[in-house]
mmCIF file of all heavy atoms in Angstrom:
data_model
loop_
_atom_site.group_PDB
_atom_site.id
_atom_site.type_symbol
_atom_site.label_atom_id
_atom_site.label_comp_id
_atom_site.label_asym_id
_atom_site.label_seq_id
_atom_site.Cartn_x
_atom_site.Cartn_y
_atom_site.Cartn_z
ATOM 1 N N LEU A 54 85.535 110.582 -43.310
ATOM 2 C CA LEU A 54 85.806 110.357 -44.725
ATOM 3 C C LEU A 54 84.685 110.929 -45.590
ATOM 4 O O LEU A 54 84.938 111.460 -46.686
ATOM 5 C CB LEU A 54 85.978 108.861 -44.998
ATOM 6 C CG LEU A 54 87.221 108.223 -44.378
ATOM 7 C CD1 LEU A 54 87.192 106.715 -44.562
ATOM 8 C CD2 LEU A 54 88.502 108.796 -44.973
ATOM 9 N N ILE A 57 85.273 114.575 -46.159
ATOM 10 C CA ILE A 57 86.273 114.843 -47.199
ATOM 11 C C ILE A 57 85.639 114.707 -48.578
ATOM 12 O O ILE A 57 85.844 115.549 -49.464
ATOM 13 C CB ILE A 57 87.464 113.875 -47.068
ATOM 14 C CG1 ILE A 57 88.171 114.060 -45.731
ATOM 15 C CG2 ILE A 57 88.448 114.073 -48.227
ATOM 16 C CD1 ILE A 57 89.227 113.005 -45.442
ATOM 17 N N ARG A 68 95.158 120.513 -45.441
ATOM 18 C CA ARG A 68 94.751 120.112 -44.095
ATOM 19 C C ARG A 68 93.427 119.342 -44.081
ATOM 20 O O ARG A 68 93.304 118.337 -43.387
ATOM 21 C CB ARG A 68 94.630 121.370 -43.203
ATOM 22 C CG ARG A 68 94.181 121.074 -41.764
ATOM 23 C CD ARG A 68 95.268 120.287 -41.058
ATOM 24 N NE ARG A 68 94.895 119.917 -39.717
ATOM 25 C CZ ARG A 68 94.128 118.883 -39.414
ATOM 26 N NH1 ARG A 68 93.623 118.125 -40.380
ATOM 27 N NH2 ARG A 68 93.861 118.586 -38.165
ATOM 28 N N ASN A 69 92.428 119.803 -44.860
ATOM 29 C CA ASN A 69 91.115 119.148 -44.765
ATOM 30 C C ASN A 69 90.938 118.007 -45.771
ATOM 31 O O ASN A 69 89.845 117.449 -45.872
ATOM 32 C CB ASN A 69 89.978 120.169 -44.899
ATOM 33 C CG ASN A 69 89.894 120.803 -46.278
ATOM 34 O OD1 ASN A 69 90.493 120.348 -47.240
ATOM 35 N ND2 ASN A 69 89.126 121.895 -46.371
ATOM 36 N N THR A 70 92.008 117.674 -46.503
ATOM 37 C CA THR A 70 91.925 116.518 -47.393
ATOM 38 C C THR A 70 92.922 115.437 -46.973
ATOM 39 O O THR A 70 92.542 114.433 -46.375
ATOM 40 C CB THR A 70 92.182 116.934 -48.858
ATOM 41 O OG1 THR A 70 93.428 117.656 -48.935
ATOM 42 C CG2 THR A 70 91.041 117.796 -49.380
ATOM 43 N N PHE A 71 94.185 115.656 -47.244
ATOM 44 C CA PHE A 71 95.174 114.597 -47.030
ATOM 45 C C PHE A 71 95.501 114.355 -45.557
ATOM 46 O O PHE A 71 95.627 113.202 -45.131
ATOM 47 C CB PHE A 71 96.437 114.917 -47.842
ATOM 48 C CG PHE A 71 96.175 114.930 -49.311
ATOM 49 C CD1 PHE A 71 96.020 116.123 -49.999
ATOM 50 C CD2 PHE A 71 96.023 113.748 -50.002
ATOM 51 C CE1 PHE A 71 95.746 116.130 -51.354
ATOM 52 C CE2 PHE A 71 95.745 113.739 -51.366
ATOM 53 C CZ PHE A 71 95.601 114.938 -52.036
ATOM 54 N N ILE A 72 95.635 115.426 -44.788
ATOM 55 C CA ILE A 72 95.848 115.227 -43.347
ATOM 56 C C ILE A 72 94.581 114.665 -42.707
ATOM 57 O O ILE A 72 94.642 113.752 -41.869
ATOM 58 C CB ILE A 72 96.249 116.554 -42.669
ATOM 59 C CG1 ILE A 72 97.632 116.993 -43.146
ATOM 60 C CG2 ILE A 72 96.247 116.411 -41.142
ATOM 61 C CD1 ILE A 72 98.750 116.031 -42.809
ATOM 62 N N ALA A 73 93.427 115.171 -43.121
ATOM 63 C CA ALA A 73 92.160 114.672 -42.576
ATOM 64 C C ALA A 73 91.961 113.190 -42.896
ATOM 65 O O ALA A 73 91.419 112.434 -42.081
ATOM 66 C CB ALA A 73 90.993 115.489 -43.127
ATOM 67 N N TYR A 74 92.418 112.773 -44.082
ATOM 68 C CA TYR A 74 92.299 111.361 -44.446
ATOM 69 C C TYR A 74 93.110 110.480 -43.490
ATOM 70 O O TYR A 74 92.630 109.448 -43.014
ATOM 71 C CB TYR A 74 92.781 111.141 -45.882
ATOM 72 C CG TYR A 74 92.876 109.686 -46.255
ATOM 73 C CD1 TYR A 74 91.733 108.927 -46.484
ATOM 74 C CD2 TYR A 74 94.120 109.049 -46.340
ATOM 75 C CE1 TYR A 74 91.823 107.588 -46.802
ATOM 76 C CE2 TYR A 74 94.208 107.711 -46.654
ATOM 77 C CZ TYR A 74 93.066 106.982 -46.890
ATOM 78 O OH TYR A 74 93.158 105.649 -47.187
ATOM 79 N N GLY A 75 94.341 110.886 -43.195
ATOM 80 C CA GLY A 75 95.158 110.114 -42.262
ATOM 81 C C GLY A 75 94.570 110.072 -40.868
ATOM 82 O O GLY A 75 94.596 109.044 -40.197
ATOM 83 N N GLU A 76 94.012 111.187 -40.433
ATOM 84 C CA GLU A 76 93.437 111.253 -39.088
ATOM 85 C C GLU A 76 92.141 110.461 -38.975
ATOM 86 O O GLU A 76 91.788 109.986 -37.892
ATOM 87 C CB GLU A 76 93.168 112.716 -38.713
ATOM 88 C CG GLU A 76 94.429 113.534 -38.481
ATOM 89 C CD GLU A 76 94.117 114.972 -38.125
ATOM 90 O OE1 GLU A 76 92.935 115.364 -38.208
ATOM 91 O OE2 GLU A 76 95.047 115.707 -37.766
ATOM 92 N N ALA A 77 91.440 110.296 -40.093
ATOM 93 C CA ALA A 77 90.139 109.627 -40.058
ATOM 94 C C ALA A 77 90.248 108.181 -39.587
ATOM 95 O O ALA A 77 89.336 107.661 -38.943
ATOM 96 C CB ALA A 77 89.488 109.684 -41.438
ATOM 97 N N VAL A 78 91.367 107.527 -39.901
ATOM 98 C CA VAL A 78 91.510 106.105 -39.571
ATOM 99 C C VAL A 78 92.486 105.855 -38.429
ATOM 100 O O VAL A 78 92.761 104.700 -38.104
ATOM 101 C CB VAL A 78 91.954 105.306 -40.814
ATOM 102 C CG1 VAL A 78 90.887 105.356 -41.895
ATOM 103 C CG2 VAL A 78 93.285 105.825 -41.350
ATOM 104 N N VAL A 79 93.001 106.908 -37.790
ATOM 105 C CA VAL A 79 94.042 106.725 -36.786
ATOM 106 C C VAL A 79 93.530 105.946 -35.575
ATOM 107 O O VAL A 79 94.239 105.096 -35.022
ATOM 108 C CB VAL A 79 94.640 108.089 -36.345
ATOM 109 C CG1 VAL A 79 93.624 108.924 -35.582
ATOM 110 C CG2 VAL A 79 95.904 107.883 -35.528
ATOM 111 N N LEU A 118 86.257 101.534 -48.418
ATOM 112 C CA LEU A 118 87.225 102.609 -48.603
ATOM 113 C C LEU A 118 87.738 102.643 -50.038
ATOM 114 O O LEU A 118 87.785 103.701 -50.681
ATOM 115 C CB LEU A 118 88.390 102.421 -47.626
ATOM 116 C CG LEU A 118 89.416 103.554 -47.535
ATOM 117 C CD1 LEU A 118 88.754 104.831 -47.075
ATOM 118 C CD2 LEU A 118 90.536 103.165 -46.587
ATOM 119 N N MET A 119 88.123 101.467 -50.565
ATOM 120 C CA MET A 119 88.665 101.421 -51.912
ATOM 121 C C MET A 119 87.580 101.539 -52.985
ATOM 122 O O MET A 119 87.869 101.838 -54.140
ATOM 123 C CB MET A 119 89.451 100.124 -52.122
ATOM 124 C CG MET A 119 90.749 100.062 -51.334
ATOM 125 S SD MET A 119 91.923 101.396 -51.756
ATOM 126 C CE MET A 119 91.842 102.406 -50.275
ATOM 127 N N LEU A 124 85.084 109.646 -52.473
ATOM 128 C CA LEU A 124 86.298 109.974 -51.722
ATOM 129 C C LEU A 124 87.506 109.974 -52.655
ATOM 130 O O LEU A 124 88.352 110.879 -52.596
ATOM 131 C CB LEU A 124 86.491 108.971 -50.586
ATOM 132 C CG LEU A 124 87.767 109.116 -49.759
ATOM 133 C CD1 LEU A 124 87.801 110.457 -49.049
ATOM 134 C CD2 LEU A 124 87.899 107.966 -48.754
ATOM 135 N N LEU A 128 90.003 113.175 -53.475
ATOM 136 C CA LEU A 128 91.446 113.189 -53.238
ATOM 137 C C LEU A 128 92.223 113.403 -54.534
ATOM 138 O O LEU A 128 93.244 114.102 -54.547
ATOM 139 C CB LEU A 128 91.872 111.885 -52.562
ATOM 140 C CG LEU A 128 91.388 111.718 -51.105
ATOM 141 C CD1 LEU A 128 91.691 110.317 -50.595
ATOM 142 C CD2 LEU A 128 92.013 112.767 -50.199
ATOM 143 N N THR A 151 99.298 109.081 -50.642
ATOM 144 C CA THR A 151 97.866 108.857 -50.490
ATOM 145 C C THR A 151 97.250 108.422 -51.815
ATOM 146 O O THR A 151 96.470 107.462 -51.872
ATOM 147 C CB THR A 151 97.168 110.124 -49.987
ATOM 148 O OG1 THR A 151 97.763 110.533 -48.756
ATOM 149 C CG2 THR A 151 95.684 109.874 -49.767
ATOM 150 N N HIS A 154 98.361 104.954 -52.618
ATOM 151 C CA HIS A 154 97.679 103.986 -51.752
ATOM 152 C C HIS A 154 96.338 103.576 -52.359
ATOM 153 O O HIS A 154 95.984 102.392 -52.371
ATOM 154 C CB HIS A 154 97.480 104.586 -50.361
ATOM 155 C CG HIS A 154 96.594 103.777 -49.473
ATOM 156 N ND1 HIS A 154 96.978 102.566 -48.936
ATOM 157 C CD2 HIS A 154 95.318 103.997 -49.029
ATOM 158 C CE1 HIS A 154 95.998 102.073 -48.203
ATOM 159 N NE2 HIS A 154 94.978 102.911 -48.247
ATOM 160 N N PHE A 155 95.606 104.540 -52.869
ATOM 161 C CA PHE A 155 94.309 104.234 -53.474
ATOM 162 C C PHE A 155 94.479 103.456 -54.780
ATOM 163 O O PHE A 155 93.726 102.509 -55.046
ATOM 164 C CB PHE A 155 93.510 105.519 -53.709
ATOM 165 C CG PHE A 155 92.649 105.902 -52.543
ATOM 166 C CD1 PHE A 155 93.197 106.546 -51.448
ATOM 167 C CD2 PHE A 155 91.297 105.594 -52.521
ATOM 168 C CE1 PHE A 155 92.415 106.892 -50.361
ATOM 169 C CE2 PHE A 155 90.504 105.923 -51.445
ATOM 170 C CZ PHE A 155 91.059 106.581 -50.354
#
Side-chain angles (χ1 to χ4, degrees):
L54 293 173
I57 298 171
R68 179 67 183 81
N69 67 14
T70 53
F71 297 101
I72 292 298
Y74 172 73
E76 290 180 352
V78 296
V79 67
L118 188 61
M119 290 300 109
L124 176 62
L128 291 172
T151 303
H154 170 71
F155 270 80

